[in-house]
């Protein structure tokens, strides 16, 4: 994976086209959320791609937290500040904030490590739907709106014991699902390993909107449609 293929940069302004966002979602993250389709009216850039762009620009720190405050739509130019501090805010031309980053500890700019970690993370993240989220929803007797599914990437964090690692792997270590009315919050916890040894941990948090009582027939239809999109993409 070459991250530079998925954005354009000029004077510290980064722009991701619909085609780049869609290609990253499908080819790298195995994410077939319709929001990332080039013809979607609600198109937005995948949060996992923004995660990768931050690491590509500022390096990988031992402790990092990413808070997503807005969806990056078509034509949005993001300002990546020159400052190299512990707190970063990613804004557009109108000073609207889309992402806030906190980081501490040692930092590496090793491109090979960063690319492999981004690849490992987005592969883990893209596996969430349907394989993790659907069983969670069923266990709690709720589901997202099948006609207008809404799953929002809220925040994620990563903590590494050290940075002299290679071949990082992520494994799900636990889940948490809290529900308040029609809103649900899901936390996916994971461990990071290098050559068989655990060297860190992290979590990804998402908001599920429009919850309603579980309906297996309707949810199965959503999952089947999603898997069919994957299959069709693989045969194009």
């Amino acid at each position: 994976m070459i991250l530079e293929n998925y954005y354009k940069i000029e004077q510290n302004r980064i722009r991701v086209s619909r085609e780049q966002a869609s290609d990253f979602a499908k080819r790298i993250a195995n994410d077939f959320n319709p929001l990332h389709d080039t013809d979607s009216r609600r198109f937005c850039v995948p949060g996992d791609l923004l995660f990768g762009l931050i690491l590509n620009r500022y390096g990988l720190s031992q402790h990092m937290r990413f808070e997503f405050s807005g969806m990056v739509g078509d034509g949005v130019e993001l300002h990546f500040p020159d400052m190299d501090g512990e707190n970063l805010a990613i804004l557009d031309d109108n000073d609207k904030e889309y992402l806030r980053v906190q980081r501490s500890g040692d930092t590496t700019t090793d491109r090979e490590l960063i690319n492999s970690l981004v690849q490992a993370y987005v592969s883990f993240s893209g596996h969430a739907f349907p394989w993790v989220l659907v069983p969670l929803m069923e266990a709690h007797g709720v589901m997202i709106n099948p006609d207008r599914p809404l799953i929002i990437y809220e925040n994620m964090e990563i903590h590494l014991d050290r940075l002299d690692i290679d071949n990082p792997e992520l494994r799900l270590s636990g889940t948490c699902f809290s529900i308040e009315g029609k809103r649900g919050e899901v936390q996916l916890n994971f461990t990071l390993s290098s050559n068989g040894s655990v060297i860190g941990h992290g979590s990804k948090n998402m908001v599920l909107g429009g919850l309603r009582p579980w309906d297996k027939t309707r949810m199965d239809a959503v999952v089947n449609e999603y898997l069919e999109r994957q299959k069709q993409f693989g045969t194009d």
Side-chain angles (χ1 to χ4, degrees):
M1 176 189 65
I2 301 175
L3 278 170
E4 285 78 6
N5 290 339
Y6 300 101
Y7 66 94
K8 294 180 180 179
I9 184 170
E10 184 176 350
Q11 296 180 342
N12 284 345
R13 295 183 179 184
I14 282 183
R15 180 173 180 173
V16 179
S17 70
R18 285 176 177 259
E19 291 75 17
Q20 288 171 320
S22 182
D23 197 49
F24 179 91
K26 296 174 174 63
R27 296 186 186 279
I28 304 300
N30 198 33
D31 179 357
F32 287 79
N33 187 328
L35 288 177
H36 308 317
D37 288 350
T38 56
D39 58 354
S40 172
R41 290 188 297 107
R42 296 190 295 157
F43 166 83
C44 69
V45 174
D48 288 343
L49 176 52
L50 299 179
F51 163 74
L53 297 184
I54 291 293
L55 265 59
N56 203 47
R57 172 66 175 80
Y58 299 104
L60 168 66
S61 297
Q62 283 183 277
H63 309 287
M64 303 189 77
R65 177 177 174 83
F66 299 75
E67 296 182 6
F68 298 88
S69 50
M71 295 194 297
V72 180
D74 186 31
V76 173
E77 288 190 339
L78 299 174
H79 293 232
F80 276 44
D82 285 326
M83 65 178 187
D84 197 24
E86 292 186 350
N87 296 286
L88 302 167
I90 308 302
L91 315 172
D92 66 10
D93 287 329
N94 298 315
D95 290 333
K96 178 181 178 180
E97 183 175 296
Y98 292 88
L99 176 62
R100 184 170 293 272
V101 183
Q102 298 173 329
R103 59 198 191 126
S104 60
D106 295 336
T107 299
T108 179
T109 57
D110 184 320
R111 286 285 180 247
E112 184 175 349
L113 170 57
I114 288 172
N115 280 339
S116 61
L117 179 63
V118 171
Q119 179 71 74
Y121 175 74
V122 300
S123 295
F124 165 84
S125 182
H127 189 74
F129 187 88
W131 311 114
V132 179
L133 293 180
V134 171
L136 265 180
M137 289 188 286
E138 182 176 15
H140 287 80
V142 296
M143 69 177 186
I144 52 179
N145 182 350
D147 299 319
R148 194 178 174 86
L150 181 61
I151 300 175
I152 300 174
Y153 197 168
E154 188 172 45
N155 61 68
M156 68 84 67
E157 55 185 68
I158 187 171
H159 303 278
L160 297 168
D161 299 330
R162 53 189 175 85
L163 294 174
D164 57 332
I165 59 177
D166 54 24
N167 300 318
E169 296 182 6
L170 278 76
R171 292 181 180 272
L172 184 69
S173 60
T175 60
C176 180
F177 192 2
S178 60
I179 302 172
E180 185 173 345
K182 294 184 177 181
R183 173 188 169 96
E185 294 191 7
V186 174
Q187 182 176 81
L188 305 181
N189 299 311
F190 56 85
T191 58
L192 289 108
S193 300
S194 174
N195 298 320
S197 298
V198 175
I199 46 83
H201 65 278
S203 64
K204 173 178 180 175
N205 295 273
M206 294 167 285
V207 172
L208 278 58
L211 294 181
R212 60 208 50 220
W214 173 259
D215 183 326
K216 178 174 173 54
T217 300
R218 297 198 69 189
M219 199 66 231
D220 282 349
V222 172
V223 172
N224 289 337
E225 181 180 354
Y226 186 89
L227 296 178
E228 182 61 26
R229 284 167 55 81
Q230 286 185 324
K231 180 180 177 181
Q232 290 301 319
F233 180 79
T235 58
D236 287 346

